[in-house]
Amino acid sequence: MSLLRTEIAPANGGVQRVAIGGRLDTHTYAELDQALAPLLGNPAVTSLVLDLEGLDYISSAGIRSVFKARKALAARAGKVLVVNPQPQIQKVFDLVKAVPLNEIFTSVAEADAYLDAMQRKVVEGDDED
């Protein structure tokens, strides 16, 4: 039995949500990479929202998976957003600066508001970030 749980929600426009739970470490990071590969390879996905509410532990291997996803989407001007990190996971992100603070949100609603504002800026012609 795996110590990692992933749940991929149906895509909503260019936004793809993935809930991650359990432990993301040396033994499980490959599972996450494998689950994310089709999403990251899909040009229709412009934003990946990683919901970490159920994630109890993350190691450097897990951080590497998040960074790999960020790099893949950044190549096509996409973003990876992190929502609902547990305090211990937030502390790891703070320590390694793996995810910019403006890409970590306390809730899915907060991330949605950010994505809405980002898209509104593009529609209104003010997409300078």
PDB file of all heavy atoms in Angstrom, residues 16-34:
ATOM      1  N   GLN A  16      -6.051  22.821 -13.459  1.00  0.00           N
ATOM      2  CA  GLN A  16      -6.106  21.421 -13.042  1.00  0.00           C
ATOM      3  C   GLN A  16      -5.783  21.330 -11.562  1.00  0.00           C
ATOM      4  O   GLN A  16      -4.767  21.849 -11.122  1.00  0.00           O
ATOM      5  CB  GLN A  16      -5.082  20.610 -13.834  1.00  0.00           C
ATOM      6  CG  GLN A  16      -5.083  19.144 -13.508  1.00  0.00           C
ATOM      7  CD  GLN A  16      -6.346  18.448 -13.964  1.00  0.00           C
ATOM      8  OE1 GLN A  16      -6.624  18.392 -15.141  1.00  0.00           O
ATOM      9  NE2 GLN A  16      -7.117  17.940 -13.016  1.00  0.00           N
ATOM     10  N   ARG A  17      -6.653  20.704 -10.788  1.00  0.00           N
ATOM     11  CA  ARG A  17      -6.441  20.550  -9.348  1.00  0.00           C
ATOM     12  C   ARG A  17      -6.010  19.126  -9.026  1.00  0.00           C
ATOM     13  O   ARG A  17      -6.564  18.180  -9.559  1.00  0.00           O
ATOM     14  CB  ARG A  17      -7.726  20.821  -8.578  1.00  0.00           C
ATOM     15  CG  ARG A  17      -8.179  22.230  -8.634  1.00  0.00           C
ATOM     16  CD  ARG A  17      -9.425  22.412  -7.755  1.00  0.00           C
ATOM     17  NE  ARG A  17     -10.079  23.659  -8.048  1.00  0.00           N
ATOM     18  CZ  ARG A  17      -9.640  24.844  -7.682  1.00  0.00           C
ATOM     19  NH1 ARG A  17      -8.524  24.930  -6.997  1.00  0.00           N
ATOM     20  NH2 ARG A  17     -10.280  25.938  -7.986  1.00  0.00           N
ATOM     21  N   VAL A  18      -5.034  19.025  -8.126  1.00  0.00           N
ATOM     22  CA  VAL A  18      -4.568  17.724  -7.662  1.00  0.00           C
ATOM     23  C   VAL A  18      -4.436  17.796  -6.148  1.00  0.00           C
ATOM     24  O   VAL A  18      -3.700  18.628  -5.623  1.00  0.00           O
ATOM     25  CB  VAL A  18      -3.206  17.349  -8.293  1.00  0.00           C
ATOM     26  CG1 VAL A  18      -2.729  15.999  -7.756  1.00  0.00           C
ATOM     27  CG2 VAL A  18      -3.291  17.325  -9.813  1.00  0.00           C
ATOM     28  N   ALA A  19      -5.175  16.937  -5.456  1.00  0.00           N
ATOM     29  CA  ALA A  19      -5.057  16.836  -3.999  1.00  0.00           C
ATOM     30  C   ALA A  19      -4.008  15.772  -3.697  1.00  0.00           C
ATOM     31  O   ALA A  19      -4.028  14.683  -4.285  1.00  0.00           O
ATOM     32  CB  ALA A  19      -6.398  16.461  -3.383  1.00  0.00           C
ATOM     33  N   ILE A  20      -3.105  16.105  -2.794  1.00  0.00           N
ATOM     34  CA  ILE A  20      -2.021  15.199  -2.432  1.00  0.00           C
ATOM     35  C   ILE A  20      -2.087  14.954  -0.932  1.00  0.00           C
ATOM     36  O   ILE A  20      -2.183  15.900  -0.153  1.00  0.00           O
ATOM     37  CB  ILE A  20      -0.649  15.802  -2.793  1.00  0.00           C
ATOM     38  CG1 ILE A  20      -0.604  16.130  -4.293  1.00  0.00           C
ATOM     39  CG2 ILE A  20       0.474  14.845  -2.420  1.00  0.00           C
ATOM     40  CD1 ILE A  20       0.621  16.933  -4.697  1.00  0.00           C
ATOM     41  N   GLY A  21      -2.047  13.693  -0.549  1.00  0.00           N
ATOM     42  CA  GLY A  21      -2.115  13.353   0.868  1.00  0.00           C
ATOM     43  C   GLY A  21      -1.093  12.304   1.241  1.00  0.00           C
ATOM     44  O   GLY A  21      -0.532  11.621   0.382  1.00  0.00           O
ATOM     45  N   GLY A  22      -0.844  12.192   2.527  1.00  0.00           N
ATOM     46  CA  GLY A  22       0.092  11.197   3.031  1.00  0.00           C
ATOM     47  C   GLY A  22       1.502  11.739   3.114  1.00  0.00           C
ATOM     48  O   GLY A  22       1.722  12.838   3.605  1.00  0.00           O
ATOM     49  N   ARG A  23       2.453  10.947   2.606  1.00  0.00           N
ATOM     50  CA  ARG A  23       3.874  11.306   2.651  1.00  0.00           C
ATOM     51  C   ARG A  23       4.405  11.425   1.236  1.00  0.00           C
ATOM     52  O   ARG A  23       4.236  10.524   0.430  1.00  0.00           O
ATOM     53  CB  ARG A  23       4.661  10.236   3.397  1.00  0.00           C
ATOM     54  CG  ARG A  23       4.339  10.169   4.874  1.00  0.00           C
ATOM     55  CD  ARG A  23       5.128   9.070   5.561  1.00  0.00           C
ATOM     56  NE  ARG A  23       6.565   9.266   5.479  1.00  0.00           N
ATOM     57  CZ  ARG A  23       7.278   9.968   6.352  1.00  0.00           C
ATOM     58  NH1 ARG A  23       6.689  10.554   7.371  1.00  0.00           N
ATOM     59  NH2 ARG A  23       8.591  10.083   6.224  1.00  0.00           N
ATOM     60  N   LEU A  24       5.088  12.537   0.978  1.00  0.00           N
ATOM     61  CA  LEU A  24       5.741  12.755  -0.310  1.00  0.00           C
ATOM     62  C   LEU A  24       7.235  12.765  -0.043  1.00  0.00           C
ATOM     63  O   LEU A  24       7.786  13.752   0.446  1.00  0.00           O
ATOM     64  CB  LEU A  24       5.268  14.074  -0.929  1.00  0.00           C
ATOM     65  CG  LEU A  24       5.819  14.441  -2.304  1.00  0.00           C
ATOM     66  CD1 LEU A  24       5.618  13.314  -3.305  1.00  0.00           C
ATOM     67  CD2 LEU A  24       5.169  15.712  -2.797  1.00  0.00           C
ATOM     68  N   ASP A  25       7.865  11.629  -0.323  1.00  0.00           N
ATOM     69  CA  ASP A  25       9.272  11.472   0.041  1.00  0.00           C
ATOM     70  C   ASP A  25      10.004  10.629  -0.996  1.00  0.00           C
ATOM     71  O   ASP A  25       9.494  10.412  -2.100  1.00  0.00           O
ATOM     72  CB  ASP A  25       9.396  10.880   1.442  1.00  0.00           C
ATOM     73  CG  ASP A  25       8.704   9.525   1.595  1.00  0.00           C
ATOM     74  OD1 ASP A  25       8.472   8.833   0.578  1.00  0.00           O
ATOM     75  OD2 ASP A  25       8.390   9.158   2.734  1.00  0.00           O
ATOM     76  N   THR A  26      11.175  10.136  -0.638  1.00  0.00           N
ATOM     77  CA  THR A  26      12.015   9.352  -1.537  1.00  0.00           C
ATOM     78  C   THR A  26      11.302   8.113  -2.057  1.00  0.00           C
ATOM     79  O   THR A  26      11.546   7.677  -3.177  1.00  0.00           O
ATOM     80  CB  THR A  26      13.308   8.915  -0.801  1.00  0.00           C
ATOM     81  OG1 THR A  26      13.922  10.080  -0.271  1.00  0.00           O
ATOM     82  CG2 THR A  26      14.262   8.217  -1.723  1.00  0.00           C
ATOM     83  N   HIS A  27      10.399   7.569  -1.280  1.00  0.00           N
ATOM     84  CA  HIS A  27       9.701   6.348  -1.662  1.00  0.00           C
ATOM     85  C   HIS A  27       8.463   6.613  -2.504  1.00  0.00           C
ATOM     86  O   HIS A  27       7.970   5.692  -3.158  1.00  0.00           O
ATOM     87  CB  HIS A  27       9.307   5.557  -0.416  1.00  0.00           C
ATOM     88  CG  HIS A  27      10.471   5.230   0.455  1.00  0.00           C
ATOM     89  ND1 HIS A  27      11.441   4.328   0.095  1.00  0.00           N
ATOM     90  CD2 HIS A  27      10.845   5.718   1.661  1.00  0.00           C
ATOM     91  CE1 HIS A  27      12.358   4.258   1.042  1.00  0.00           C
ATOM     92  NE2 HIS A  27      12.021   5.092   2.009  1.00  0.00           N
ATOM     93  N   THR A  28       7.944   7.845  -2.501  1.00  0.00           N
ATOM     94  CA  THR A  28       6.659   8.106  -3.171  1.00  0.00           C
ATOM     95  C   THR A  28       6.704   9.188  -4.248  1.00  0.00           C
ATOM     96  O   THR A  28       5.745   9.331  -4.999  1.00  0.00           O
ATOM     97  CB  THR A  28       5.593   8.507  -2.131  1.00  0.00           C
ATOM     98  OG1 THR A  28       6.022   9.698  -1.459  1.00  0.00           O
ATOM     99  CG2 THR A  28       5.345   7.391  -1.119  1.00  0.00           C
ATOM    100  N   TYR A  29       7.808   9.947  -4.335  1.00  0.00           N
ATOM    101  CA  TYR A  29       7.824  11.061  -5.287  1.00  0.00           C
ATOM    102  C   TYR A  29       7.602  10.607  -6.724  1.00  0.00           C
ATOM    103  O   TYR A  29       6.977  11.316  -7.515  1.00  0.00           O
ATOM    104  CB  TYR A  29       9.118  11.876  -5.185  1.00  0.00           C
ATOM    105  CG  TYR A  29      10.293  11.250  -5.887  1.00  0.00           C
ATOM    106  CD1 TYR A  29      10.581  11.591  -7.210  1.00  0.00           C
ATOM    107  CD2 TYR A  29      11.085  10.296  -5.260  1.00  0.00           C
ATOM    108  CE1 TYR A  29      11.652  10.997  -7.866  1.00  0.00           C
ATOM    109  CE2 TYR A  29      12.141   9.715  -5.910  1.00  0.00           C
ATOM    110  CZ  TYR A  29      12.416  10.057  -7.217  1.00  0.00           C
ATOM    111  OH  TYR A  29      13.462   9.478  -7.877  1.00  0.00           O
ATOM    112  N   ALA A  30       8.085   9.409  -7.080  1.00  0.00           N
ATOM    113  CA  ALA A  30       7.923   8.908  -8.451  1.00  0.00           C
ATOM    114  C   ALA A  30       6.443   8.701  -8.781  1.00  0.00           C
ATOM    115  O   ALA A  30       6.029   8.910  -9.932  1.00  0.00           O
ATOM    116  CB  ALA A  30       8.714   7.622  -8.655  1.00  0.00           C
ATOM    117  N   GLU A  31       5.652   8.311  -7.783  1.00  0.00           N
ATOM    118  CA  GLU A  31       4.205   8.158  -7.993  1.00  0.00           C
ATOM    119  C   GLU A  31       3.576   9.505  -8.361  1.00  0.00           C
ATOM    120  O   GLU A  31       2.733   9.582  -9.253  1.00  0.00           O
ATOM    121  CB  GLU A  31       3.520   7.632  -6.733  1.00  0.00           C
ATOM    122  CG  GLU A  31       3.854   6.210  -6.384  1.00  0.00           C
ATOM    123  CD  GLU A  31       3.209   5.825  -5.068  1.00  0.00           C
ATOM    124  OE1 GLU A  31       1.973   6.011  -4.921  1.00  0.00           O
ATOM    125  OE2 GLU A  31       3.934   5.349  -4.174  1.00  0.00           O
ATOM    126  N   LEU A  32       3.987  10.550  -7.644  1.00  0.00           N
ATOM    127  CA  LEU A  32       3.454  11.877  -7.948  1.00  0.00           C
ATOM    128  C   LEU A  32       3.911  12.324  -9.333  1.00  0.00           C
ATOM    129  O   LEU A  32       3.105  12.817 -10.119  1.00  0.00           O
ATOM    130  CB  LEU A  32       3.879  12.904  -6.900  1.00  0.00           C
ATOM    131  CG  LEU A  32       3.371  14.319  -7.162  1.00  0.00           C
ATOM    132  CD1 LEU A  32       1.834  14.376  -7.151  1.00  0.00           C
ATOM    133  CD2 LEU A  32       3.945  15.299  -6.159  1.00  0.00           C
ATOM    134  N   ASP A  33       5.186  12.144  -9.626  1.00  0.00           N
ATOM    135  CA  ASP A  33       5.693  12.523 -10.945  1.00  0.00           C
ATOM    136  C   ASP A  33       4.907  11.819 -12.047  1.00  0.00           C
ATOM    137  O   ASP A  33       4.549  12.432 -13.057  1.00  0.00           O
ATOM    138  CB  ASP A  33       7.180  12.187 -11.076  1.00  0.00           C
ATOM    139  CG  ASP A  33       8.071  13.097 -10.250  1.00  0.00           C
ATOM    140  OD1 ASP A  33       7.577  14.099  -9.690  1.00  0.00           O
ATOM    141  OD2 ASP A  33       9.280  12.793 -10.158  1.00  0.00           O
ATOM    142  N   GLN A  34       4.623  10.543 -11.845  1.00  0.00           N
ATOM    143  CA  GLN A  34       3.880   9.765 -12.836  1.00  0.00           C
ATOM    144  C   GLN A  34       2.439  10.273 -12.970  1.00  0.00           C
ATOM    145  O   GLN A  34       1.907  10.379 -14.071  1.00  0.00           O
ATOM    146  CB  GLN A  34       3.890   8.288 -12.445  1.00  0.00           C
ATOM    147  CG  GLN A  34       3.262   7.385 -13.473  1.00  0.00           C
ATOM    148  CD  GLN A  34       3.381   5.911 -13.086  1.00  0.00           C
ATOM    149  OE1 GLN A  34       3.809   5.570 -11.979  1.00  0.00           O
ATOM    150  NE2 GLN A  34       3.010   5.047 -13.995  1.00  0.00           N
TER     151      GLN A  34
END
